[in-house]
Amino acid sequence: MGPHPNHARPRRTAGQPAFAHPSEAQFAALLSFYGIAWLYEPTTFPLAWAADGRVTLAFSPDFYLPEFDLYIELATRKQSEMALKNRKLRRLHELYPDVRIKLVNRRTFEDLLLKFGLEERSAQLIGGVGRA
Amino acid sequence: MLIGQEELRARVCALGAEISRDYAGKDLLLVGVLRGVAIFLADLLRAITIPVAVDFIGISSYGPSVETGGVVRLTKDLEEPIEGRHVLFVEDVIDTGLTLSFLLRTLRARAPASLNVCVLLDKRAHRLIDIDIAYCGFQLQDEYVVGYGLDHRQRYRNLPIVGVLRPDRY
């Protein structure tokens, strides 16, 4: 079974999509503020298959920015939760080398909150500013 | 302290010389976005040795007071026409590129002869939107910096150096 991303079930709805995490809703609001069109989890990339062809591992990047042909994944969770995400990203690069994806890591997200005076929301969004 | 006064002065002078060479004989207009760029732009302007005009643009900033569905708007528009002119957009710091992407889109729609970017501090590791930077003062990593025009809640702009803001000052 070869790699074929699944674009067939876009999750964007007419209103706000059901974001999986408050940080995603905040990031979407920021993109919209600056007039950058986005789609929420519009594509699922199969990453591994069972012998019978069933997809056993897949990855749906959080955002797609059509104007820039760019996927964005928020990686704001704790380090202990990042191992699987990093593994998926490495596999995505192997199977879909032409797909452009950028990570917003926890540090970048913290800086965004600071820059826009939103650091008081950090506990709600990412569990607090955690830099040393 | 991250970048001292002498280092800033030397780099800004070098940028001014480079810009002067590249734009010799052209109708150059520097455009700065308020307010963080003020000090860098003032020094850069004085380091440019060719005829040059200057203008400013201001935009509303995202923040806690922005209502759901709010969008960026110009708080101060340019006073100079830019159609057919060589525009050099000057920024203090570029990180994700979200703000700059909006501003460049706005300026491009006014049909300048050319549109390039000059930035004092480039946090490339944070870039989301790829933007060509023609002139760059310094590359930064993860530091949250203030001084030389850059603020945190409107403070520290008057520091003559670029410094890293201590986390206990957030």
Side-chain angles (χ1 to χ4, degrees):
Chain A
M1 174 69 70
H4 295 287
N6 173 15
H7 305 279
R9 290 182 294 164
R11 290 183 52 180
R12 185 164 188 186
T13 62
Q16 284 286 84
F19 293 108
H21 194 269
S23 61
E24 296 170 354
Q26 181 67 74
F27 191 75
L30 187 59
L31 292 173
S32 296
F33 181 81
Y34 286 108
I36 295 172
W38 53 269
L39 295 168
Y40 181 64
E41 294 188 347
T43 311
T44 297
F45 295 92
L47 299 178
W49 297 263
D52 61 3
R54 280 181 301 109
V55 173
T56 56
L57 185 67
F59 182 45
S60 302
D62 295 323
F63 292 93
Y64 177 64
L65 312 186
E67 183 183 349
F68 304 98
D69 187 22
L70 174 69
Y71 289 92
I72 290 180
E73 175 70 8
L74 299 190
T76 58
R77 296 175 194 179
K78 292 178 181 172
Q79 194 62 34
S80 57
E81 300 170 10
M82 291 301 299
L84 178 60
K85 188 169 282 193
N86 285 332
R87 188 158 69 91
K88 287 182 172 183
L89 276 169
R90 280 196 300 274
R91 189 71 178 140
L92 179 77
H93 284 305
E94 289 168 7
L95 294 175
Y96 308 93
D98 295 333
V99 169
R100 297 176 64 238
I101 184 166
K102 292 197 177 182
L103 275 184
V104 176
N105 61 26
R106 187 180 176 89
R107 187 65 178 265
T108 302
F109 198 83
E110 286 171 357
D111 272 5
L112 278 175
L113 295 180
L114 277 173
K115 176 180 174 179
F116 295 114
L118 299 169
E119 60 268 33
E120 287 169 5
R121 295 185 191 170
S122 64
Q124 171 201 352
L125 295 174
I126 56 173
V129 173
R131 62 181 58 180
Chain B
M1 183 177 78
L2 192 63
I3 309 170
Q5 284 180 275
E6 277 310 312
E7 201 177 352
L8 282 166
R9 187 176 297 121
R11 188 69 191 117
V12 172
C13 282
L15 287 172
E18 196 178 342
I19 291 165
S20 301
R21 276 197 308 273
D22 293 350
Y23 285 90
K26 294 179 178 172
D27 179 14
L28 174 61
L29 172 65
L30 299 189
V31 171
V33 61
L34 297 169
R35 285 171 273 186
V37 80
I39 293 175
F40 172 48
L41 182 56
D43 286 347
L44 181 66
L45 190 61
R46 286 176 288 190
I48 292 175
T49 56
I50 60 171
V52 57
V54 65
D55 204 347
F56 293 92
I57 196 167
I59 61 168
S60 59
S61 179
Y62 190 77
S65 61
V66 172
E67 294 176 5
T68 304
V71 295
V72 65
R73 60 187 169 78
L74 293 183
T75 55
K76 184 206 170 296
D77 204 347
L78 296 176
E79 292 171 37
E80 294 279 327
I82 66 170
E83 184 175 353
R85 302 177 74 177
H86 294 277
V87 174
L88 182 59
F89 189 82
V90 186
E91 259 279 31
D92 48 356
V93 60
I94 298 176
D95 42 37
T96 60
L98 294 174
T99 312
L100 188 54
S101 149
F102 167 80
L103 285 163
L104 292 179
R105 201 183 320 140
T106 301
L107 295 180
R108 241 179 240 121
R110 301 181 186 185
S114 68
L115 178 59
N116 285 315
V117 175
C118 173
V119 62
L120 177 68
L121 306 169
D122 183 7
K123 295 171 84 168
R124 190 160 296 176
H126 287 201
R127 189 85 81 254
L128 298 177
I129 309 298
D130 288 330
I131 290 169
D132 288 332
I133 308 293
Y135 307 94
C136 174
F138 301 92
Q139 296 278 349
L140 294 188
Q141 295 302 314
D142 271 343
E143 300 91 350
Y144 189 80
V145 292
V146 294
Y148 199 65
L150 282 77
D151 77 308
H152 176 66
R153 295 183 170 178
Q154 296 304 323
R155 296 183 65 194
Y156 311 114
R157 290 192 196 277
N158 56 330
L159 294 176
I161 53 94
V162 173
V164 178
L165 188 64
R166 284 174 15 200
D168 62 351
R169 299 294 178 94
Y170 295 167

